[in-house]
Each structure stands twice: as structure tokens, then as C-alpha cells.
Amino acid sequence: MIELGKFNTLIVVSQRDNQYGLDGGELGEIELADKDAPDKLKVGDTIKAFVYIDGKNQTIATLQTPLAQVDQVAWLKCVSLSHAGAFLAWGLPKDLLLPFSEQKGKIVEGRSYLVRLFLDENNRIAATMMLDDFIQDQAFYYKDGQAVQLIIADETDLGFKAVVDHQYWGVLYKSETFQPLQKGQALTGYIKKVRPDNKLDLVLSQEKYGQKVDATSEKILAILAKRGGYVALTDKSAPEIIYDTFGVSKKVFKQAIGGLYKQRRIVIEEAGIRLVEQG
């Protein structure tokens, strides 16, 4: 079955000069819109193509890759405004419509917005800013430590709200996130915990806590050696400065220097930590 607004694996069933027809099943033959088809493409070959309905109400296929497919979330730039709504650049020649009814707040040409792609009543691809109508709060079948794809949605008092795999909401906590994050940013994250209410807590590093403390301890010793045996940082330093220096949270840093102090590898002074020379 052909899925409109998504990539489909299709068989070439006809060729007329440089034009190709693809088997669209119940939709009939679908024209391959691209002028630059793969070299030596012939009837019987299988290709992966994006299928959608164009402005002339024709079902066509393209080998070009849009920035998002139907049911996916993307950070797209508004390139023009019209009586129908706003138009967003999404990687295909015809811009994507964000109807007035699917907008939140004032849309400004040149700015980017977080949207989800969907099929309207005419099966044409459109965008919506009403993410809460589609993205679910509760997730199932995820496991702690599982890798997921994230898109940053909003900064909150707790941290950052993110879309997980285009389907679910999750939270990255400020106390565990120190690298700069921006709305619309796409990156790989991990499930820290599936809470009893099936909501998702997220992290950006898969490394286990104990392993991270050990790795940080080695990094602290290496940086101390490189800087003449002294670094002006303690467990009272700002989390952002600690992250900029060692790439870890303040909690991990405190555990690491505590362990090094007990091993008598460092001394903790009022304004910094100092390497102990080993006899």
C-alpha cells in the first residue's frame, strides 16, 4: 500500500524517453517527477521514492529528499506569507503550506518554526504547529538506556522539553544538561528512565554513572598535569564552568574529585584543586 507523504519502494513499470512510470498499486501508475533519474534506470528496477500529491492534484514521486515526511516533526523556515497561510521551505521545489488554522501566534517571514507534517482532507501534505494534538505524553515499549532521536521543543523550568522519535514528549533536566541546546535542534539522546506514569526522562549520554565518574577522574588528573598541577575549580564552582572544562555535570565532578581526594591524588583547596606529587 502506497503511503502518501513518505518514502515508498516502487517498481519501474514504464519508460517513455526520459520519463518513468512507477507501480502505484491502487493509485495506478505514478509519474517520477525528477529529470535526473539514476543512470541506466530501466523497467523492472526498484527505487525508493517520496510520493505526494502536487498542486495540480496529481500523485507524483520524486527522488529528492524533503526535510521531513508526514508524521514527522521538523524545524522549518517560513519563506513567504499569503492569503492561505504561511509557506515553509522543506527541501522540495513547492513550499509547504502552514494554514492559518494550524498556526500558533504570529508567523514572521524569515523565522523558523517547529511543525509536524500531516495529510489534509485532500491528502495534500501540510504543516501544523499544534504538536500537542499529535505528540503523546505517555510512551510504551521503551527501555532504559535505549537510543532515541530527539528534537528540542521548548525550554522549561525543569530543563528542555523534547520530541522523542517524532511521537512522544520527554524531558532533559537542566541539572544533567550543560551543553547549549536550541529550539528545533535534532540530536541523539537516550532514555534515562521510563517513569511509572510512562513519561520519559532523557539524557544526552549513554555512559553509566560509575563509568562516567571514573573517566572524569582520569580527565581531571590529565588536565591537572597539563596545567602545572592546579585548576581553579572546586565543588562550589558554577556548573557551567565545570562543564566547559570537563564536559560533565557538577554532580559527577564532585564525585570524581571526592574519590581522588580519598586516594590522596589531589588536595582540595579553597579556590581550586591541586595535584599531589606521587613519590
Side-chain angles (χ1 to χ4, degrees):
M1 181 177 177
I2 301 298
E3 291 189 276
L4 292 173
K6 297 185 179 182
F7 279 96
N8 295 261
T9 300
L10 304 172
I11 299 173
V12 179
V13 293
S14 67
Q15 178 183 2
R16 293 177 293 276
D17 297 325
N18 291 325
Q19 296 182 335
Y20 296 89
L22 309 177
D23 183 7
E26 70 279 4
L27 298 179
E29 189 171 311
I30 299 174
E31 178 187 350
L32 179 62
D34 301 84
K35 297 179 180 179
D36 300 324
D39 292 339
K40 300 181 180 178
L41 184 66
K42 59 184 184 300
V43 172
D45 287 350
T46 299
I47 60 172
K48 194 171 184 180
F50 184 78
V51 180
Y52 66 106
I53 295 177
D54 66 8
K56 299 178 181 178
N57 209 33
Q58 300 293 317
T59 302
I60 61 173
T62 178
L63 301 183
Q64 297 181 61
T65 302
L67 297 178
Q69 303 180 58
V70 164
D71 298 332
Q72 291 185 345
V73 175
W75 182 246
L76 303 180
K77 184 177 182 180
C78 174
V79 291
S80 65
L81 301 170
S82 77
H83 66 279
F87 284 94
L88 312 176
W90 67 309
L92 294 186
K94 182 174 173 57
D95 296 324
L96 179 67
L97 176 64
L98 173 61
F100 285 115
S101 61
E102 302 296 336
Q103 297 177 14
K104 292 174 65 176
K106 183 180 179 181
I107 305 300
V108 178
E109 186 176 329
R111 293 186 182 177
S112 296
Y113 300 90
L114 195 63
V115 298
R116 184 182 186 272
L117 275 62
F118 71 100
L119 293 176
D120 68 12
E121 64 275 7
N122 297 314
N123 279 331
R124 292 183 180 178
I125 305 172
T128 179
M129 297 174 67
M130 311 299 181
L131 298 189
D132 285 327
D133 291 345
F134 300 94
I135 309 301
Q136 302 178 50
D137 287 320
Q138 294 178 300
F140 302 91
Y141 312 114
Y142 282 106
K143 296 181 179 179
D144 294 357
Q146 183 175 341
V148 290
Q149 294 304 306
L150 306 179
I151 299 178
I152 304 301
D154 286 299
E155 186 172 0
T156 69
D157 292 338
L158 292 175
F160 295 90
K161 191 176 181 181
V163 180
V164 180
D165 290 338
H166 301 282
Q167 300 179 75
Y168 306 103
W169 289 118
V171 176
L172 289 159
Y173 292 97
K174 281 184 179 178
S175 59
E176 300 171 338
T177 307
F178 299 98
Q179 69 187 73
L181 294 176
Q182 297 180 341
K183 186 172 182 178
Q185 183 177 350
L187 68 169
T188 298
Y190 301 89
I191 303 297
K192 178 189 177 184
K193 181 181 179 181
V194 180
R195 289 154 48 184
D197 59 2
N198 291 109
K199 294 184 180 181
L200 300 177
D201 290 344
L202 309 169
V203 290
L204 296 180
S205 173
Q206 190 182 29
E207 195 172 19
K208 293 182 178 179
Y209 185 76
Q211 295 174 336
K212 182 174 286 188
V213 171
D214 291 341
T216 303
S217 298
E218 294 301 318
K219 190 170 185 179
I220 289 171
L221 292 174
I223 290 178
L224 281 168
K226 186 177 180 180
R227 298 188 180 183
Y230 181 80
V231 172
L233 286 173
T234 69
D235 57 4
K236 297 181 176 62
S237 299
E240 294 79 9
I241 299 175
I242 291 172
Y243 185 86
D244 287 343
T245 305
F246 298 105
V248 296
S249 68
K250 186 171 183 175
K251 180 179 178 182
V252 172
F253 174 73
K254 289 173 67 174
Q255 288 287 328
I257 64 173
L260 291 173
Y261 176 78
K262 289 179 181 179
Q263 299 167 25
R264 299 186 178 181
R265 305 290 299 277
I266 65 170
V267 291
I268 301 175
E269 301 177 355
E270 184 176 351
I273 55 176
R274 191 177 300 276
L275 186 65
V276 173
E277 293 186 11
Q278 301 297 304

